[in-house]
């Protein structure tokens, strides 16, 4: 169990870097965040707009 950045960095070796595997890991790791944002986009935007209103 590694933090995401450490896990992706462990794919690299001293003499060899598997770029496609690293990029696939980056895409798979950001996919849940993007899906979560699109599912709760309305609440997120409303929260930001309500935070800027005084009163």
């Amino acid at each position: 169990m590694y933090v995401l950045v450490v896990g992706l960095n462990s794919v690299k070796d001293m003499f060899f870097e598997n770029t496609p595997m690293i990029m696939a890991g980056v895409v798979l790791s950001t996919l849940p965040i993007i899906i979560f944002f699109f599912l709760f986009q309305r609440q997120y935007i409303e929260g930001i707009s309500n935070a800027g209103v005084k009163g």
Side-chain angles (χ1 to χ4, degrees):
M1 300 293 291
Y2 291 112
V3 179
L4 185 62
V5 176
V6 175
L8 288 174
N9 198 20
S10 68
V11 175
K12 286 189 346 183
D13 194 12
M14 183 182 253
F15 302 107
F16 178 71
E17 184 174 319
N18 193 351
T19 306
M21 185 179 289
I22 293 172
M23 294 307 293
V26 168
V27 168
L28 289 176
S29 65
T30 57
L31 207 60
I33 298 168
I34 293 171
I35 291 171
F36 184 79
F37 174 75
F38 282 122
L39 287 176
F40 296 102
Q41 182 178 6
R42 180 178 298 155
Q43 291 85 0
Y44 183 73
I45 300 300
E46 284 178 5
I48 290 174
S49 65
N50 288 338
V53 177
K54 279 191 167 183

